[in-house]
Amino acid sequence: MNYRRDHRSSRSSLFNDLEEGSLRSSSSYSHDINEHDNDKAVESLQDRVIFLKQITGDIHDEVETHNRFLDRMGNNMDASRGIMSGTMDRFKRVFEKKSNRRMCTLVSCFVITFLIIYYLIRILSYFNHS
């Protein structure tokens, strides 16, 4: 606000005193004010550029972090895919032979029977406590 008052007073002195000497000194004062405005604008732009540079640096760091994370995740997925394909190959070998198929059927029947008995015992114990 004070700056505007100074600027207005310099304008009034410019138009009140029309002598050539005072006209030159007032115009140089006006020139100084314009340079001052320009300096403030340049400082403001510098602050904005520094702020934008910091933001872009932070964005770059975040992108690098995410890229490293995605690379590790991709490597882990490749390792998991290798393990799964090995497991599937083993299952194929087991089911290729007839005797192995019978053994797997026998084991699966045993596991299913065990689970049925386990759940029947839990259900019966639940009703006995009620």
Side-chain angles (χ1 to χ4, degrees):
M1 281 295 219
N2 194 14
Y3 168 72
R4 290 180 186 231
R5 286 185 200 146
D6 292 341
H7 187 63
R8 287 182 187 156
S9 66
S10 67
R11 279 189 175 181
S12 65
S13 67
L14 177 65
F15 290 115
N16 288 339
D17 301 329
L18 294 178
E19 296 176 355
E20 186 148 343
S22 65
L23 183 65
R24 285 186 187 154
S25 65
S26 296
S27 66
S28 67
Y29 180 72
S30 174
H31 181 69
D32 290 340
I33 291 175
N34 288 338
E35 284 184 19
H36 182 69
D37 288 343
N38 287 340
D39 290 342
K40 279 188 176 183
V42 167
E43 288 176 10
S44 174
L45 284 174
Q46 284 177 337
D47 292 342
R48 289 178 185 175
V49 167
I50 290 170
F51 180 70
L52 287 174
K53 186 177 178 182
Q54 289 172 347
I55 288 176
T56 55
D58 292 343
I59 290 171
H60 176 73
D61 293 342
E62 192 71 23
V63 167
E64 290 294 324
T65 302
H66 284 250
N67 281 339
R68 283 192 300 272
F69 176 73
L70 288 173
D71 287 341
R72 278 184 292 197
M73 195 164 120
N75 292 338
N76 290 340
M77 291 296 284
D78 289 340
S80 299
R81 188 175 298 126
I83 292 171
M84 287 299 289
S85 66
T87 304
M88 292 305 292
D89 289 341
R90 288 185 193 112
F91 272 120
K92 285 178 187 176
R93 277 190 243 134
V94 166
F95 284 109
E96 282 176 357
K97 295 182 180 177
K98 204 171 197 178
S99 62
N100 287 340
R101 231 179 304 161
R102 286 185 191 155
M103 182 60 81
C104 285
T105 305
L106 181 64
V107 169
S108 62
C109 287
F110 177 73
V111 169
I112 290 172
T113 304
F114 176 76
L115 290 173
I116 289 172
I117 291 172
Y118 174 76
Y119 283 115
L120 284 176
I121 290 172
R122 283 189 71 187
I123 290 172
L124 289 175
S125 67
Y126 176 74
F127 284 122
N128 287 335
H129 290 291
S130 298

